Amino acid sequence: MRLFLSFVLLIPFCSVLAQQATSPAQLNLMPLPSNYQAGNGQLPIDQSFSVSLSGYKEARLDSGVRRFLENISRRTGIALTNRSATGDSGARLTIQTDHGSKPVQEPGEDESYSLEITSSGAKLNAPTPLGTLHGLQTFLQLMESTPTGFAVPVVTIHDTPRFVWRGLMIDVGRHFIPLDVIKRNLDGMEAVKLNVFHWHLSDNQGFRVESKKFPKLQEMGSDGLFYTQAEISDVIAYARDRGIRVIPEFDMPGHSTSWFVGYPDLASAPGPYQIERRWGVFDPAMDPTNDHTYNFLEQFIGEMAKLFPDHYFHIGGDEVNGKQWDANPKIQEFMKSHGLKDNAALQTYFTTRVQKIVSKHDKMMVGWDEILAPGMPKDIVIHSWRGPESLAAAAKQGYRGILSNGYYIDLMWSAARHYAVDPISGDAAKLSVEEKQRILGGEAAMWSEHVGPETIDSRIWPRTAAVAERLWSPESVRDVSSMYRRLNQISWHLDSLGLTHNTDYIPMLQRIANSEDVRPLRALADVVEPVKDYQREEFAKTPPTSFTPLNRLIDAARPESETGRIFSNLVDEFVSGGCKDAAKSSEIRSRLTAWRDVYPSLQRGMASSSLLGENENLARNLSVASGAGLSALDALDRHQAPAENWKTEQTTILQQAAKPDYTQVLLMVVPPIQKLVEYVSPGGGCSASK
Amino acid sequence: MRLFLSFVLLIPFCSVLAQQATSPAQLNLMPLPSNYQAGNGQLPIDQSFSVSLSGYKEARLDSGVRRFLENISRRTGIALTNRSATGDSGARLTIQTDHGSKPVQEPGEDESYSLEITSSGAKLNAPTPLGTLHGLQTFLQLMESTPTGFAVPVVTIHDTPRFVWRGLMIDVGRHFIPLDVIKRNLDGMEAVKLNVFHWHLSDNQGFRVESKKFPKLQEMGSDGLFYTQAEISDVIAYARDRGIRVIPEFDMPGHSTSWFVGYPDLASAPGPYQIERRWGVFDPAMDPTNDHTYNFLEQFIGEMAKLFPDHYFHIGGDEVNGKQWDANPKIQEFMKSHGLKDNAALQTYFTTRVQKIVSKHDKMMVGWDEILAPGMPKDIVIHSWRGPESLAAAAKQGYRGILSNGYYIDLMWSAARHYAVDPISGDAAKLSVEEKQRILGGEAAMWSEHVGPETIDSRIWPRTAAVAERLWSPESVRDVSSMYRRLNQISWHLDSLGLTHNTDYIPMLQRIANSEDVRPLRALADVVEPVKDYQREEFAKTPPTSFTPLNRLIDAARPESETGRIFSNLVDEFVSGGCKDAAKSSEIRSRLTAWRDVYPSLQRGMASSSLLGENENLARNLSVASGAGLSALDALDRHQAPAENWKTEQTTILQQAAKPDYTQVLLMVVPPIQKLVEYVSPGGGCSASK
């Protein structure tokens, strides 16, 4: 129960080192290594700590060690960056790298490493720099504060990933995400051993890359918010330094309105076009029947293929509604004359031609489920937003695939729900060994309709670390409570890399509250979650656009309410124990009382800040629901018989409180309160079952 | 009293907008404008907010407006950066700049501006971009959250600075300060209208600039921690964009051990030399009798004069102890043969020759007090670490001067103490008008023996804003309580620029506590201040060096304890009112009770974290002192007669608690507790005077 109190009542939300001595079951690592054995004792980390590199040498290893020492310095306050990183024979951490990795990183390269820590020193050995970089991250996660100073525990680790493709997709089309935000997220990816940054660079709402051949793409399609080619190259180098591939996506033939602002003749209907400001699936699509389209793409893909060295090139291919095609007589005529019986066939015609262009520029094409059609060459990769079944079907046909269905982190699911999704499950679990190997891994997908630079980190982290563990660690690693314990640790660790998922929370609440003192608002924010899936638009007062401010409670609220989760567990334990545990009852009561009082505490401030004021109904609902919970608790543990109709009335109240309104958030403590109500026996006390 | 509670008990420490509606006396501006008149009403700032520029155009104005909009976006959560910054006829803020400023900024250029805000729009007019940039900062400080959304109040401002030289010196020699930290501090300087960044680039402990002519300076004298010439130029451009001049200082002939590591033949005694790791005044000094020294400086200063475009060049010149000169027979012989009667005369000989070199490269020399000597040309500038008297004497002789005595922010003085220091005071106040004009202004001086990248912001900010107000605002602006109220506002505003003086506090305490929950440690940290002046070394367990970690309570503690100041005011009001105010008594009691209980709350953690454990005695002292305060309070307001010798005993206890130990911090609540004890009458109750 201490845990519950410490998270609900206290002032945390900044980086912190591990709080407990390490036991074998409690290694603070995420993802968990494939093989490890904890020992006794620790290796101190103090001013004399140093690192040596031997074996294969390259600049990436030097900069990796420099960043490693900087992170230790930041977390300990001990300056280490003026220590030489090479050739010190008395180094505490000796690193041996056997040989180089490929000049352009490829899926399937050896990423393994071994790390042996004793009380006198540590050895990190890896076949390639990729393994070395992973091992350094493991070491950083192990560091903790102890009674005698900072240290890492004695442990032996042999580690290698389960999947070769472990990605994070960031959509910068819908909301532009500045370079510094991209970079800090690459730091986060490195920390959890993700190795693919999938950059969704164009969509209806923005074209985000400088093209020198077709400058109107960025000049007219981006509001001035795009990356120069030099910046792109800088990010690619930054990612490579961290063992991360960068895969560009240019979505076509749909999701491409922003291209048409500067180049309307690419579209299937006459222009002019404007940058799209709304969200959804729209009509504009490239004209697949016009040779001009392919000439343009030939040159454009050629330019981008040079800019992005990775061997894979993502062409999107999703969600073409076909309306422009249906309405264009020339296109209809073309379909007839070429025997293309429907729009799917027309898109396959398009994809086939684009694949040839991509291939000509020495890239392997990646695309969403829609690109899979008979006759496609086997070296393409299917990126599944539809699910493991679709992936399994592709694998059976000989295609490689990666999974994003179940990893859409914009949908505000819990970490546990994402964690349960396995690329090799359902139909895929029944595949042959060879077929299974075609399932390369997966990608967390951060679609950006409702995130900006201030909020994107809190949507990506820490939940993406759970996806990273699913993709790296053995399939058998599935303990959800262990995952949450370690997720909490990694979350604070990520703060030290400059990620803002924790540090922006209080400032955002202060902005809403218009006050330094955010205690009552925080009590409210701690128990809400944004609505799930695509409900944010459904409950919006006015349809959101790319100009809608992202400064409201829903934006500050975390995708997953830790307080709600812990309270829900507490109620489960209480009722399953027959409502007899006095300590649990007292804790539930204290929480409910605090929540009941949030609304009166907030009322004064609501009159002075418009951002706070809109949450009045929500705060009142929390108060009313908590009151219902308190009356249930009285009935349960003081055996007070409820009035007739009490349960029906409370249920009505709670159902009302559970419904999201225009604030677009859910009160996560209402379902456990409902459970308390359900467990009340007609004469008072706890019913054995609801 | 609400104020007291809100700062002592709550969870602040992040950026926040102004909390109150603005009244004329409460404009949240620092520095206060020279002339302003507040009106009624406000101008809303919402998604439609836009800016237009007219008159003189240059890239600096565009980027100034872009940063202005970015800051509004960051603070409101409303994206504005995709709005065009030019030519919008319906813009809410129209800016007119009359003409350009000088290509290399000079002291005395017109920095004035006028800003007129009505409920329908705002006009910013300025003769030069310098004024425009200042006006934008004023606008940003005025923005607040209101019941109807974000807004700026209606106001008319005509503003111009009192002094032309308003500086911040940062010593990067003793601890290297990375570029990003320099840049965020330049942002802070811009926010409070400082216009000189004085960069102390070399000292015994490090030479921080790349020299292409003499590469061993940085290669052997910096531990690899130096700025490349490209980085220097980048900082200069960054500063110019913010209306800030950059003045380099290369300290000579003393404070120069780091030069001698690579070039021992510059010194007055044979080498080899090593980078100095200790703090203090050391023997090594350049050989002023050797032509080789001047040949070297001729080339070096020539190179640096090109790198740093400012017309002024700081050569330091302070603290030569002369020991190497005394011990070198050749130097003694030279002095005799040239009629140089003592080391001061020898240094003047050196300075005279260096001044000619500096002048040859079209720079005006700046140096500390020591450089002033008969025969120096009148265009040099005296930088006074000795005080206004020295400045006045120089002004009488026709020399221009700037003041840093009283603005040494490394000495951990209160903002009020720095605020009281006026460059034109004491002897300087008696100067003629013409002589007074030679006093150009002043510089806050951030010496870096005991700061690093993590802690430097909290030593500079917010106190430097009080110095900035002294240098910008009319002499008559002296109200300390208004200063503290506005200092608090500007402190949160500076958070939005990425300064870390507030945001690093809790993470540093969490590191010490080894816990997310820092409540008891924070209660302790909130009431301590680092020891003053140069006592940190005096009370250190072992002499500190450049390798000493800066991760202890003294490093997390703020230079000025707001809690201590507020408690002290509370006690003053309580006793001066005859100890009759029950609310005040109750508040004092509640504070003392909380402090008494800090020690027991910390004890468990002390066993598990070495950084926390060393504060045991300090925490016990707080507990004991608070107990003494509680017994005094009982005597004062419950009229309980104290035991015989009680006052003597308590005084002994409190004197003990007031003494700093190896933690090097002061318990700021002990003196007000001592005051409570002193006011106790022998028979109980409150004596009229102590």
Side-chain angles (χ1 to χ4, degrees):
Chain A
M1 287 307 98
R2 224 186 126 267
L3 189 69
F4 175 73
L5 278 170
S6 72
F7 288 111
V8 174
L9 299 175
L10 305 189
I11 317 168
F13 296 101
C14 297
S15 72
V16 73
L17 293 157
Q19 288 180 60
Q20 304 163 302
T22 304
S23 80
Q26 291 188 316
L27 274 189
N28 285 319
L29 291 175
M30 184 166 255
L32 273 180
S34 50
N35 192 301
Y36 62 96
Q37 185 154 21
N40 294 312
Q42 61 183 37
L43 173 68
I45 295 180
D46 57 21
Q47 289 158 254
S48 68
F49 183 77
S50 59
V51 180
S52 71
L53 285 165
S54 65
Y56 173 76
K57 301 273 171 72
E58 65 174 24
R60 173 161 65 159
L61 288 167
D62 293 327
S63 64
V65 168
R66 195 180 60 243
R67 288 184 287 111
F68 169 83
L69 292 172
E70 280 168 0
N71 187 264
I72 294 178
S73 292
R74 192 168 308 125
R75 290 160 65 208
T76 61
I78 301 171
L80 294 171
T81 44
N82 52 0
R83 301 279 169 190
S84 165
T86 49
D88 183 349
S89 62
R92 294 284 180 83
L93 170 61
T94 59
I95 299 174
Q96 158 75 29
T97 310
D98 295 342
H99 53 78
S101 63
K102 301 208 172 159
V104 174
Q105 192 174 327
E106 291 179 20
E109 285 195 74
D110 193 335
E111 299 182 81
S112 70
Y113 69 93
S114 67
L115 175 63
E116 187 182 358
I117 300 176
T118 70
S119 55
S120 58
K123 281 183 199 164
L124 170 58
N125 293 332
T128 77
L130 302 174
T132 305
L133 293 168
H134 292 319
L136 288 173
Q137 295 303 314
T138 298
F139 191 101
L140 288 177
Q141 290 192 21
L142 287 170
M143 192 176 72
E144 60 192 351
S145 181
T146 79
T148 53
F150 295 98
V152 285
V154 168
V155 68
T156 300
I157 293 173
H158 297 282
D159 200 9
T160 194
R162 178 176 169 215
F163 291 105
V164 301
W165 190 302
R166 305 177 307 278
L168 169 64
M169 188 214 77
I170 297 182
D171 168 13
V172 300
R174 292 179 173 88
H175 275 99
F176 181 69
I177 304 297
L179 275 188
D180 61 325
V181 182
I182 296 293
K183 285 184 174 178
R184 72 188 184 216
N185 278 286
L186 287 165
D187 290 335
M189 289 176 66
E190 181 189 27
V192 298
K193 304 185 172 64
L194 291 173
N195 67 356
V196 177
F197 171 45
H198 167 180
W199 211 348
H200 183 85
L201 285 159
S202 68
D203 215 301
N204 298 311
Q205 295 82 1
F207 190 97
R208 306 304 184 188
V209 178
E210 174 194 28
S211 167
K212 292 180 177 173
K213 289 209 165 127
F214 303 105
K216 284 190 280 185
L217 284 171
Q218 75 273 11
E219 285 167 7
M220 300 180 69
S222 78
D223 299 304
L225 299 172
F226 64 93
Y227 312 103
T228 66
Q229 294 201 356
E231 288 170 336
I232 295 274
S233 297
D234 178 43
V235 167
I236 292 167
Y238 192 93
R240 179 171 168 81
D241 252 10
R242 286 151 182 78
I244 298 169
R245 301 161 50 209
V246 178
I247 299 190
E249 177 185 352
F250 296 96
D251 210 342
M252 60 185 82
H255 284 286
S256 49
T257 307
S258 64
W259 306 51
F260 306 152
V261 184
Y263 300 95
D265 49 357
L266 292 172
S268 302
Y273 289 87
Q274 293 197 316
I275 294 174
E276 183 59 58
R277 306 300 184 184
R278 298 160 300 161
W279 312 126
V281 174
F282 299 96
D283 301 348
M286 291 178 187
D287 184 348
T289 69
N290 191 337
D291 277 343
H292 169 68
T293 303
Y294 301 102
N295 291 337
F296 184 101
L297 289 176
E298 158 67 36
Q299 290 180 73
F300 175 75
I301 291 174
E303 184 184 11
M304 293 301 129
K306 283 205 190 84
L307 182 59
F308 292 91
D310 200 86
H311 297 305
Y312 294 78
F313 194 95
H314 203 304
I315 60 105
D318 54 322
E319 295 185 323
V320 182
N321 73 11
K323 289 190 187 169
Q324 280 198 345
W325 295 346
D326 294 340
N328 183 326
K330 275 194 183 167
I331 291 177
Q332 292 303 313
E333 196 177 314
F334 181 93
M335 287 170 72
K336 262 183 221 150
S337 68
H338 286 70
L340 300 166
K341 67 177 194 315
D342 57 15
N343 286 334
L346 180 57
Q347 184 170 350
T348 296
Y349 172 82
F350 172 82
T351 309
T352 305
R353 289 192 65 171
V354 169
Q355 190 278 328
K356 290 200 176 77
I357 295 171
V358 170
S359 180
K360 184 180 156 197
H361 293 290
D362 293 325
K363 305 286 181 185
M364 283 176 274
M365 188 171 81
V366 188
W368 300 98
D369 289 299
E370 286 94 328
I371 68 163
L372 185 56
M376 280 288 162
K378 299 295 182 196
D379 71 346
I380 69 168
V381 175
I382 307 303
H383 190 173
S384 181
W385 62 272
R386 289 181 178 157
E389 288 64 36
S390 152
L391 219 48
K396 273 197 178 298
Q397 295 174 52
Y399 292 99
R400 292 172 301 164
I402 49 179
L403 183 69
S404 276
N405 177 292
Y407 300 142
Y408 271 31
I409 49 179
D410 62 319
L411 301 186
M412 305 288 163
W413 295 5
S414 69
R417 188 167 170 193
H418 290 303
Y419 193 61
V421 175
D422 196 307
I424 302 187
S425 62
D427 288 355
K430 299 169 206 146
L431 295 173
S432 72
V433 171
E434 192 190 346
E435 287 162 349
K436 278 181 183 166
Q437 279 174 350
R438 295 187 191 127
I439 297 182
L440 303 177
E443 292 183 2
M446 182 69 251
W447 300 106
S448 70
E449 283 90 343
H450 307 295
V451 298
E454 186 176 42
T455 58
I456 192 168
D457 290 9
S458 74
R459 276 54 187 137
I460 298 176
W461 306 106
R463 295 177 303 151
T464 293
V467 177
E469 175 154 294
R470 175 61 48 239
L471 298 173
W472 176 285
S473 303
E475 194 178 355
S476 59
V477 174
R478 312 197 72 85
D479 180 334
V480 170
S481 70
S482 163
M483 180 275 285
Y484 273 117
R485 187 188 63 75
R486 291 177 293 108
L487 193 68
N488 193 45
Q489 291 293 338
I490 192 79
S491 179
W492 307 126
H493 176 59
L494 292 168
D495 289 353
S496 73
L497 302 172
L499 286 160
T500 65
H501 53 299
N502 290 314
T503 53
D504 271 350
Y505 187 55
I506 298 295
M508 289 192 75
L509 296 181
Q510 289 178 317
R511 176 199 292 154
I512 294 167
N514 190 26
S515 166
E516 282 168 50
D517 176 13
V518 294
R519 283 179 305 170
L521 176 57
R522 178 162 174 200
L524 176 62
D526 277 351
V527 301
V528 302
E529 290 181 8
V531 288
K532 306 299 156 188
D533 302 324
Y534 298 101
Q535 291 190 314
R536 182 168 178 150
E537 305 199 22
E538 189 179 321
F539 288 101
K541 258 186 183 166
T542 52
T545 72
S546 50
F547 296 131
T548 302
L550 300 168
N551 59 3
R552 296 161 61 238
L553 183 61
I554 181 178
D555 302 300
R558 276 83 187 278
E560 183 168 13
S561 160
E562 186 170 26
T563 304
R565 180 169 58 79
I566 292 169
F567 183 71
S568 182
N569 290 344
L570 177 65
V571 167
D572 283 352
E573 289 167 19
F574 177 65
V575 297
S576 68
C579 312
K580 285 174 190 150
D581 188 324
K584 288 193 171 68
S585 166
S586 156
E587 201 168 305
I588 292 170
R589 186 176 299 277
S590 129
R591 289 296 79 217
L592 290 170
T593 307
W595 292 327
R596 186 194 59 196
D597 297 343
V598 161
Y599 176 52
S601 310
L602 279 175
Q603 270 181 306
R604 189 177 152 203
M606 284 181 168
S608 77
S609 160
S610 59
L611 286 173
L612 185 60
E614 70 168 15
N615 300 295
E616 179 156 16
N617 191 47
L618 179 75
R620 194 190 298 113
N621 280 345
L622 176 62
S623 186
V624 169
S626 301
L630 285 166
S631 69
L633 204 57
D634 286 343
L636 287 170
D637 68 356
R638 296 177 185 170
H639 290 270
Q640 296 171 357
E644 208 182 343
N645 288 332
W646 172 88
K647 195 175 278 193
T648 313
E649 286 163 15
Q650 303 307 308
T651 300
T652 307
I653 286 170
L654 290 170
Q655 281 172 347
Q656 188 58 36
K659 277 188 198 156
D661 62 6
Y662 51 82
T663 60
Q664 301 145 297
V665 297
L666 299 165
L667 284 167
M668 300 309 291
V669 294
V670 170
I673 291 173
Q674 177 66 31
K675 181 171 272 187
L676 288 175
V677 168
E678 286 165 2
Y679 267 82
V680 171
S681 289
C686 193
S687 71
S689 70
K690 58 175 185 166
Chain B
M1 286 309 96
R2 223 185 126 266
L3 189 68
F4 176 74
L5 278 170
S6 71
F7 287 112
V8 174
L9 298 177
L10 307 189
I11 316 167
F13 296 100
C14 295
S15 71
V16 71
L17 293 158
Q19 289 181 59
Q20 305 164 300
T22 303
S23 81
Q26 290 189 318
L27 275 189
N28 285 319
L29 292 174
M30 184 165 254
L32 274 181
S34 50
N35 193 300
Y36 62 94
Q37 188 154 20
N40 294 314
Q42 61 183 37
L43 172 68
I45 295 181
D46 57 21
Q47 289 158 256
S48 68
F49 184 78
S50 60
V51 180
S52 71
L53 284 164
S54 65
Y56 173 76
K57 301 273 172 72
E58 64 173 25
R60 174 161 64 160
L61 289 167
D62 293 327
S63 65
V65 168
R66 194 180 60 242
R67 287 184 288 111
F68 170 83
L69 292 172
E70 280 168 0
N71 186 263
I72 294 178
S73 292
R74 191 167 310 126
R75 289 160 64 208
T76 61
I78 302 170
L80 294 170
T81 45
N82 52 358
R83 302 279 172 191
S84 166
T86 51
D88 182 350
S89 62
R92 294 285 179 83
L93 170 62
T94 59
I95 299 174
Q96 156 75 26
T97 309
D98 295 342
H99 54 77
S101 63
K102 302 209 171 160
V104 175
Q105 192 174 329
E106 292 179 19
E109 286 195 73
D110 193 336
E111 298 182 83
S112 70
Y113 68 94
S114 67
L115 176 63
E116 189 182 357
I117 301 176
T118 70
S119 56
S120 59
K123 282 183 196 163
L124 170 60
N125 293 332
T128 77
L130 301 175
T132 305
L133 293 168
H134 292 320
L136 288 172
Q137 294 303 315
T138 298
F139 191 102
L140 288 178
Q141 289 191 22
L142 287 170
M143 190 176 74
E144 58 192 352
S145 180
T146 79
T148 53
F150 295 97
V152 285
V154 168
V155 67
T156 300
I157 292 172
H158 297 282
D159 200 9
T160 193
R162 179 177 169 214
F163 290 105
V164 301
W165 189 302
R166 306 177 307 279
L168 169 63
M169 188 214 77
I170 296 182
D171 168 12
V172 299
R174 291 180 174 87
H175 275 100
F176 181 70
I177 304 298
L179 274 187
D180 61 324
V181 181
I182 295 293
K183 284 184 173 177
R184 71 189 184 216
N185 277 285
L186 287 165
D187 290 336
M189 290 177 66
E190 180 188 28
V192 298
K193 303 184 172 63
L194 290 173
N195 67 357
V196 177
F197 171 44
H198 167 181
W199 211 349
H200 184 85
L201 284 160
S202 68
D203 216 301
N204 298 310
Q205 294 83 2
F207 190 96
R208 305 304 184 188
V209 179
E210 174 194 27
S211 168
K212 293 182 177 170
K213 289 208 165 125
F214 303 105
K216 285 191 280 183
L217 285 171
Q218 75 273 11
E219 286 169 7
M220 300 179 70
S222 79
D223 299 303
L225 300 170
F226 65 92
Y227 312 104
T228 65
Q229 294 201 356
E231 289 170 335
I232 296 275
S233 297
D234 178 43
V235 167
I236 292 167
Y238 192 94
R240 181 175 167 80
D241 252 11
R242 286 150 181 80
I244 298 169
R245 301 162 48 211
V246 178
I247 299 190
E249 176 184 352
F250 296 97
D251 210 341
M252 60 185 81
H255 284 285
S256 48
T257 306
S258 64
W259 306 50
F260 306 153
V261 184
Y263 299 95
D265 49 356
L266 291 172
S268 302
Y273 289 87
Q274 293 197 316
I275 294 173
E276 183 60 58
R277 305 300 183 185
R278 298 160 300 161
W279 312 125
V281 174
F282 298 95
D283 301 346
M286 291 178 185
D287 184 348
T289 70
N290 191 339
D291 278 343
H292 169 68
T293 303
Y294 301 103
N295 291 337
F296 184 102
L297 290 176
E298 159 66 36
Q299 291 180 72
F300 174 75
I301 291 174
E303 184 183 11
M304 292 300 129
K306 284 205 190 85
L307 182 59
F308 292 91
D310 199 87
H311 297 305
Y312 294 77
F313 194 95
H314 204 304
I315 59 105
D318 56 322
E319 297 186 324
V320 182
N321 72 11
K323 287 189 188 170
Q324 280 198 343
W325 295 347
D326 295 341
N328 183 326
K330 274 193 185 169
I331 291 176
Q332 291 304 310
E333 197 178 314
F334 181 94
M335 287 171 72
K336 260 183 220 153
S337 66
H338 287 69
L340 300 165
K341 67 178 191 320
D342 56 16
N343 286 336
L346 180 57
Q347 185 172 349
T348 296
Y349 171 83
F350 172 82
T351 309
T352 305
R353 289 192 65 172
V354 169
Q355 190 278 328
K356 290 200 176 78
I357 295 171
V358 170
S359 180
K360 186 181 154 194
H361 292 289
D362 294 325
K363 305 288 181 183
M364 284 177 274
M365 187 173 80
V366 188
W368 300 99
D369 290 300
E370 286 92 329
I371 68 163
L372 184 56
M376 280 287 162
K378 298 298 183 193
D379 70 348
I380 68 168
V381 175
I382 307 303
H383 190 174
S384 182
W385 62 272
R386 289 182 177 154
E389 288 65 36
S390 151
L391 218 49
K396 271 196 179 300
Q397 295 174 51
Y399 292 99
R400 292 174 300 165
I402 48 178
L403 184 68
S404 275
N405 176 291
Y407 300 141
Y408 270 32
I409 50 180
D410 61 319
L411 302 186
M412 304 289 163
W413 296 4
S414 69
R417 188 168 170 192
H418 290 303
Y419 194 60
V421 175
D422 195 306
I424 302 188
S425 61
D427 288 356
K430 297 169 205 146
L431 295 172
S432 72
V433 170
E434 192 189 345
E435 287 163 350
K436 277 181 184 166
Q437 279 173 350
R438 293 187 190 126
I439 296 179
L440 303 177
E443 290 182 3
M446 182 69 249
W447 300 107
S448 69
E449 282 90 344
H450 308 296
V451 297
E454 184 176 41
T455 58
I456 193 168
D457 291 9
S458 74
R459 276 54 188 138
I460 298 177
W461 306 106
R463 294 177 306 151
T464 293
V467 177
E469 173 154 295
R470 176 59 49 241
L471 298 173
W472 176 284
S473 303
E475 194 180 352
S476 59
V477 174
R478 311 198 71 85
D479 180 334
V480 170
S481 70
S482 162
M483 180 275 285
Y484 272 116
R485 187 187 64 73
R486 291 176 294 108
L487 192 68
N488 192 47
Q489 290 294 337
I490 193 77
S491 179
W492 307 126
H493 176 58
L494 291 168
D495 289 352
S496 73
L497 302 170
L499 286 159
T500 64
H501 54 300
N502 292 315
T503 52
D504 271 350
Y505 187 55
I506 298 296
M508 287 190 76
L509 296 181
Q510 289 178 316
R511 176 198 292 155
I512 294 167
N514 191 28
S515 166
E516 282 168 51
D517 175 13
V518 294
R519 283 178 306 169
L521 176 58
R522 177 162 174 200
L524 177 62
D526 276 352
V527 300
V528 302
E529 291 181 7
V531 288
K532 307 299 157 185
D533 301 322
Y534 297 102
Q535 291 190 314
R536 181 168 179 152
E537 304 199 25
E538 189 180 319
F539 287 101
K541 258 187 185 165
T542 52
T545 71
S546 50
F547 295 132
T548 302
L550 299 168
N551 59 2
R552 297 162 59 238
L553 182 61
I554 181 176
D555 302 300
R558 276 84 187 275
E560 184 169 10
S561 159
E562 187 170 25
T563 304
R565 179 168 60 78
I566 292 168
F567 182 72
S568 182
N569 290 344
L570 177 65
V571 166
D572 283 352
E573 289 166 21
F574 177 65
V575 297
S576 68
C579 312
K580 285 174 190 148
D581 188 324
K584 288 194 171 70
S585 166
S586 156
E587 201 167 304
I588 292 171
R589 187 175 299 277
S590 128
R591 289 296 80 217
L592 290 171
T593 307
W595 292 329
R596 186 194 58 196
D597 297 342
V598 161
Y599 176 53
S601 311
L602 279 176
Q603 269 180 307
R604 189 176 152 206
M606 282 183 171
S608 78
S609 159
S610 60
L611 286 172
L612 185 59
E614 70 167 18
N615 300 295
E616 177 154 19
N617 192 48
L618 179 75
R620 194 190 298 115
N621 280 344
L622 176 62
S623 185
V624 169
S626 303
L630 286 165
S631 69
L633 205 57
D634 286 343
L636 288 169
D637 69 357
R638 295 177 186 173
H639 291 271
Q640 295 170 356
E644 207 182 344
N645 288 333
W646 173 87
K647 195 175 278 191
T648 314
E649 286 163 14
Q650 302 307 307
T651 301
T652 306
I653 286 170
L654 291 170
Q655 281 171 349
Q656 189 57 37
K659 277 188 199 156
D661 63 5
Y662 52 81
T663 59
Q664 301 146 296
V665 298
L666 299 165
L667 284 167
M668 300 310 291
V669 294
V670 171
I673 291 174
Q674 176 66 31
K675 182 173 271 188
L676 289 174
V677 168
E678 285 164 4
Y679 267 80
V680 171
S681 289
C686 192
S687 71
S689 71
K690 59 172 184 168

